[in-house]
Amino acid sequence: MIAAVGLLVGVILGLIFTPDVPAGLDPYLPIAVVAALDAVFGALRAYLEGIFDDKVFVVSFFSNVVIAAAIVYLGDKLGVGGQLSTGVIVVLGIRIFSNVAQIRRYVFHA
């Protein structure tokens, strides 16, 4: 319940204050958001399966974001940032859809 309230407060504050992202971080923001979504859907799946651990969630959340951003940064430095960004999005997208499929099976028994 506290997490849901925190999320709601964060969204409302973001809409009110509309923070600006520095131009240098623009390529990394979408990757960070998708990596964070992967952690959130993984946590929801773990919660429904009864194996949720808040420490694992926090570590997963931050490590997903940092690793995904580091891969894109490395790709930028190597000159293949677009390709690595696409790869990261595809891999995380597959993980998100897999978690959502498991959540759907658990919730709807189908």
Side-chain angles (χ1 to χ4, degrees):
M1 184 64 181
I2 293 173
V5 171
L7 178 63
L8 182 62
V9 169
V11 169
I12 291 171
L13 289 175
L15 291 173
I16 291 172
F17 292 110
T18 60
D20 293 327
V21 177
L25 297 179
D26 275 347
Y28 308 108
L29 184 61
I31 301 298
V33 168
V34 173
L37 284 174
D38 174 49
V40 168
F41 281 111
L44 179 59
R45 175 183 175 186
Y47 177 77
L48 291 172
E49 292 175 351
I51 58 172
F52 176 78
D53 182 5
D54 55 345
K55 293 176 187 174
V56 172
F57 169 67
V58 170
V59 170
S60 172
F61 185 89
F62 287 110
S63 65
N64 277 5
V65 170
V66 169
I67 291 170
I71 290 171
V72 174
Y73 176 78
L74 178 64
D76 286 344
K77 293 301 175 190
L78 295 173
V80 292
Q83 290 88 345
L84 280 180
S85 294
T86 302
V88 169
I89 292 292
V90 167
V91 168
L92 292 174
I94 290 170
R95 288 172 42 105
I96 289 170
F97 279 108
S98 174
N99 283 328
V100 169
Q102 291 295 333
I103 291 167
R104 176 185 42 86
R105 287 185 193 107
Y106 184 83
V107 170
F108 298 113
H109 305 289

